[in-house]
Amino acid sequence: MLELTMAAVSAAEAGATAGMLMADAPSEPGTVLRVGRDTSLCRLATPDDWLFVSRVHLEFQCAQDGSWHLTWLRGSLPEPSSEVRLTVGEYAQPLAYGGTVPLPRGGSGEVVILDRTAPRSVNVGFYHEV
């Protein structure tokens, strides 16, 4: 099972947890959870006017062996208007635009989508239950 929690945070709301969204999915091959602005495609949707987030920005997908992978999907622009960072424990890394990384089995962490033009972010916490 993969559990996600998401909070959209602007500078005025830093530290607030109101409006936190949650989603989960079983660790079955082919299962997908998406984060973005399009509510018809994404289980966790950001505000419509937060254009630094693509219609479908992040995709969490379960592989054949039950492991989960995170992909920052390429949008319609050649250069993104955001940055994506993955933190697991004390280790933090930027995620490449269009890149995919494995998530730790039985682990937890956070994925942050940072707006390059304003002090706001989308924070997605994850927990991979074995």
Side-chain angles (χ1 to χ4, degrees):
M1 167 100 40
L2 182 69
E3 298 174 352
L4 301 177
T5 57
M6 184 189 83
V9 181
S10 66
E13 302 164 335
T17 56
M20 186 172 284
L21 302 173
M22 299 172 73
D24 61 25
S27 293
E28 297 174 357
T31 302
V32 174
L33 288 169
R34 293 183 184 100
V35 177
R37 291 189 339 261
D38 190 331
T39 56
S40 68
L41 298 172
C42 300
R43 289 274 304 274
L44 296 175
T46 63
D48 286 338
D49 61 344
W50 283 29
L51 300 180
F52 70 98
V53 177
S54 301
R55 286 181 55 239
V56 180
H57 202 89
L58 301 176
E59 183 174 85
F60 295 83
Q61 185 170 27
C62 186
Q64 290 296 328
D65 65 357
S67 65
W68 285 85
H69 295 82
L70 166 66
T71 301
W72 178 6
L73 300 170
R74 292 187 71 84
S76 58
L77 301 174
E79 291 296 319
S81 28
S82 63
E83 297 174 21
V84 176
R85 295 188 188 147
L86 171 65
T87 303
V88 176
E90 294 182 18
Y91 181 71
Q93 71 180 51
L95 186 58
Y97 188 42
T100 300
V101 295
L103 298 180
R105 280 186 178 270
S108 63
E110 183 176 47
V111 182
V112 179
I113 305 169
L114 297 163
D115 187 346
R116 288 184 170 171
T117 63
R120 55 189 179 174
S121 66
V122 176
N123 299 18
V124 180
F126 67 87
Y127 173 68
H128 182 198
E129 183 179 298
V130 181

